[in-house]
Amino acid sequence: MNKTYANLQVERCQHTAVITLDNPPAHTWTLESLAALAELVADLNAERDIYALVITGGGAKFFSAGADLKLFADGDKAVARAMAQRFGLAFEALSGFRGVSIAAINGYAMGGGLECALACDIRIAEEHAQMALPEAAVGLLPCAGGTQQLSWLVGEGWAKRMILCGERIDAQRALSIGLVEEVVATGAALEAALALAEKSWRQSPSSVAACKSLIQGARSLPPQHMLPQERERFVDLFDTQDQKEGVLAFLEKRSARWRNA
């Protein structure tokens, strides 16, 4: 990719975009980097040859420590509102990425850093990683989806332990409560995430996008609403080139050549 994005390094690995958070030392988010993330996701959605994205932190210590608290030291509500809105737009864009998104949590994921990982479809954590939503300890609250995404993933009890009691958890605890899907050795998260992303290449991109929207729709809508949609989306796939290619490739015993169309 030829464009540059504030505090984000982007590399293409065949059908996967690798996004590295790059605002050392703790890869904190800024208005500029949040806007850049939303722009980057929109650009990736437009690249029909990109099927997955992996997001990780630069270096070995931090995935991301969230927002820089210095921004809120003077109590300026206009700054607070701007940051909250930008966080929401960025991570909702990430959540809405049409392909598979994987967070390779390579260290501390705190506040808005953890919320970034929560916006991804899948999370892989290195064994030394630490995760928390500590905002209430400084008179704030998670405003980038944390109260909603965390509750959905781990249940209300653990969400309350982490948010209301400020409990920090390690990678193994995160695995046991369903916050992450896999724990790997230190330094191995990116490799594991790329390997998982590569598995998604075998799936029809059109089917992945449809399935993802249905899975996420189940968070807010009841089965009696989503089940008819599921059947309709199944029929809609017959308008795609990928459906025809997928069935033909199976019958011809060859790998499918997806068009994402």
Side-chain angles (χ1 to χ4, degrees), residues 13-29:
C13 296
Q14 294 181 273
H15 299 296
T16 300
V18 180
I19 305 169
T20 303
L21 307 181
D22 185 25
N23 186 24
H27 308 311
T28 50
W29 291 99

Side-chain angles (χ1 to χ4, degrees), residues 8-237:
L8 303 173
Q9 298 295 324
V10 188
E11 179 183 3
R12 181 171 180 156
C13 296
Q14 294 181 273
H15 299 296
T16 300
V18 180
I19 305 169
T20 303
L21 307 181
D22 185 25
N23 186 24
H27 308 311
T28 50
W29 291 99
T30 65
L31 283 170
E32 292 75 22
S33 61
L34 290 166
L37 178 63
E39 181 182 4
L40 172 56
V41 172
D43 290 343
L44 294 176
N45 280 332
E47 286 209 28
R48 308 311 292 175
D49 203 34
I50 291 292
Y51 304 160
L53 72 79
V54 171
I55 188 163
T56 193
K61 185 175 181 180
F62 285 97
F63 177 77
S64 169
D68 186 344
L69 287 179
K70 293 177 183 177
L71 290 170
F72 309 127
D74 60 3
D76 189 330
K77 288 180 67 176
V79 171
R81 189 179 304 278
M83 283 296 292
Q85 290 175 340
R86 199 67 64 85
F87 263 120
L89 290 172
F91 294 166
E92 286 165 28
L94 179 57
S95 181
F97 172 63
R98 58 169 170 71
V100 178
S101 57
I102 305 171
I105 303 173
N106 60 307
Y108 288 97
M110 302 293 172
L114 180 56
E115 288 173 301
C116 176
L118 290 170
C120 293
D121 299 318
I122 300 163
R123 286 149 295 281
I124 298 174
E126 295 183 6
E127 58 190 1
H128 70 288
Q130 298 280 321
M131 285 153 270
L133 290 178
E135 286 87 347
V138 294
L140 300 172
L141 60 77
C143 70
T147 62
Q148 306 303 300
Q149 302 275 29
L150 185 63
S151 301
W152 178 258
L153 278 175
V154 305
E156 187 175 310
W158 268 104
K160 286 178 175 176
R161 285 183 68 154
M162 293 182 67
I163 296 172
L164 306 186
C165 301
E167 190 160 350
R168 179 185 297 188
I169 63 173
D170 61 18
Q172 287 299 329
R173 175 69 78 182
L175 180 66
S176 72
I177 67 175
L179 177 51
V180 303
E181 285 70 44
E182 185 177 356
V183 174
V184 297
T186 296
L190 180 57
E191 181 181 0
L194 288 171
L196 187 59
E198 187 171 347
K199 289 183 179 181
S200 76
W201 302 351
R202 298 196 294 265
Q203 312 289 88
S204 156
S206 304
S207 296
V208 166
C211 290
K212 180 171 173 175
S213 68
L214 289 166
I215 293 168
Q216 292 180 336
R219 299 177 184 179
S220 57
L221 295 169
Q224 61 263 36
H225 181 91
M226 294 307 300
L227 288 171
Q229 281 202 32
E230 184 180 69
R231 296 189 288 271
E232 285 302 311
R233 296 299 293 274
F234 173 80
V235 175
D236 289 344
L237 288 173

Side-chain angles (χ1 to χ4, degrees), residues 47-49 51 203-206 240-243 245-246 256-261:
E47 286 209 28
R48 308 311 292 175
D49 203 34
Y51 304 160
Q203 312 289 88
S204 156
S206 304
T240 68
Q241 296 179 44
D242 283 348
Q243 181 275 324
E245 168 63 13
R257 296 182 287 270
W258 304 123
R259 301 289 295 276
N260 201 1

